[in-house]
Amino acid sequence: MKTEIKTDAKGKKTVLNTCTEPCAIERGMRLIGGKWTGSIIYHLKDEPVRFNDLCRMLGGASRKMIDQRLKELENNGMVLRSVIDTRPIAVTYSLTEFGRSALDILEQLRVWSESHSDN
Amino acid sequence: MKTEIKTDAKGKKTVLNTCTEPCAIERGMRLIGGKWTGSIIYHLKDEPVRFNDLCRMLGGASRKMIDQRLKELENNGMVLRSVIDTRPIAVTYSLTEFGRSALDILEQLRVWSESHSDN
DNA sequence: CGGTATCCTCTACGATACTG
DNA sequence: CAGTATCGTAGAGGATACCG
């Protein structure tokens, strides 16, 4: 996210784009900004949660979406998938240290969003 | 973002979804999580910026995208569009107080993202 | 229970060309 | 300069059904 605005002797401005693609903010958003991604991370903050419980928590999201997002999060190293081989099988999802490191941002976002719900 | 996990006498857990749709985190993400939205807000943090300068700053984004995002941001009350009636016309975009209130989150996101660019 | 597979629709987005 | 209009494609995402 480096951009310089150069101003010459006559006051004319030139914008230099030195922004590496994709920018840090965009990269970060692609990690936690997907549909339901932030909510999933947030719901895993206290304890491991099972797949179907997560579905119930995220009432508006389809199972396919949640499955997809969980795989992304697993691939990005933010979520850990644990299989407990009972019958029927049980699978829990929990946050890795990396995943946990995103909680501050999400909490701040939640507070910000709620404080502006009056618009 | 209210979800309760009830545990009964036998230790059996029931998940109650009391999450109002859409949740605060999702609502917040829809405000600043669109493609390029965060970057646009971030680039407006110091001073009003003209349309074409913004395009140069966001090298990877098409003009159409930027136009679209700016309109969204204007509709959401985060960005102010100012027309200076010279010839040729000049248009600058700047942050409103509401838009400015999102900068903390974006800055935190940027730092977080950069500190994990080694994965 | 915890998923896949399939189908279908709708939109996001890029490319390009035109305009006051 | 700051857009709008039009077209085309790829992928997002819902609904439904099936599986180990």
Side-chain angles (χ1 to χ4, degrees):
Chain A
M1 182 64 67
K2 293 171 206 147
T3 308
E4 291 169 21
I5 300 181
K6 226 175 41 177
T7 309
D8 69 13
K10 297 166 193 158
K12 190 181 176 191
K13 291 180 180 180
T14 309
V15 176
L16 300 176
N17 174 27
T18 53
C19 179
T20 54
E21 292 302 326
C23 306
I25 287 188
E26 288 308 308
R27 271 188 289 117
M29 278 299 182
R30 284 335 112 206
L31 285 176
I32 62 171
K35 202 175 180 186
W36 297 109
T37 306
S39 298
I40 288 175
I41 297 173
Y42 196 81
H43 275 106
L44 297 182
K45 74 184 164 70
D46 293 322
E47 53 182 343
V49 178
R50 298 179 64 165
F51 182 80
N52 277 341
D53 287 340
L54 208 48
C55 292
R56 275 182 284 276
M57 289 169 168
L58 306 169
S62 68
R63 302 155 65 78
K64 182 178 160 188
M65 271 287 74
I66 298 174
D67 188 61
Q68 219 168 84
R69 294 301 174 227
L70 283 171
K71 282 204 178 102
E72 282 176 22
L73 287 167
E74 206 188 343
N75 289 338
N76 293 335
M78 301 181 71
V79 158
L80 182 71
R81 179 175 182 272
S82 309
V83 180
I84 305 160
D85 201 358
T86 54
R87 190 156 308 234
I89 205 173
V91 178
T92 66
Y93 294 90
S94 54
L95 294 180
T96 62
E97 268 315 298
F98 181 28
R100 197 160 290 284
S101 72
L103 283 175
D104 279 354
I105 297 169
L106 293 173
E107 177 61 21
Q108 212 182 327
L109 178 67
R110 190 186 62 75
V111 171
W112 176 75
S113 174
E114 284 185 347
S115 73
H116 289 96
S117 56
D118 50 317
N119 63 353
Chain B
M1 183 64 69
K2 293 173 207 147
T3 308
E4 291 170 20
I5 299 181
K6 226 175 43 178
T7 309
D8 70 10
K10 296 165 194 159
K12 190 183 178 190
K13 291 179 181 180
T14 310
V15 176
L16 299 177
N17 174 27
T18 53
C19 179
T20 53
E21 292 304 328
C23 305
I25 287 188
E26 288 308 309
R27 270 187 290 118
M29 279 299 183
R30 283 335 113 206
L31 284 176
I32 63 170
K35 201 175 182 186
W36 298 108
T37 305
S39 298
I40 289 175
I41 296 173
Y42 196 81
H43 276 105
L44 297 182
K45 74 184 163 69
D46 293 322
E47 52 181 344
V49 179
R50 297 179 65 166
F51 183 80
N52 277 342
D53 288 339
L54 208 48
C55 291
R56 273 183 285 275
M57 288 167 168
L58 305 169
S62 68
R63 301 156 64 77
K64 184 177 158 188
M65 271 287 74
I66 298 174
D67 189 61
Q68 218 168 84
R69 294 299 174 230
L70 283 171
K71 282 205 179 102
E72 281 176 23
L73 288 167
E74 207 189 342
N75 289 337
N76 293 335
M78 301 180 71
V79 159
L80 181 72
R81 181 175 181 273
S82 309
V83 180
I84 305 159
D85 200 358
T86 54
R87 190 160 307 235
I89 204 172
V91 179
T92 66
Y93 293 89
S94 54
L95 294 180
T96 62
E97 268 315 296
F98 182 29
R100 197 160 290 283
S101 71
L103 283 175
D104 280 354
I105 297 169
L106 293 172
E107 177 61 21
Q108 212 182 329
L109 178 68
R110 190 186 62 75
V111 171
W112 176 76
S113 174
E114 284 184 347
S115 73
H116 288 96
S117 56
D118 49 315
N119 62 356

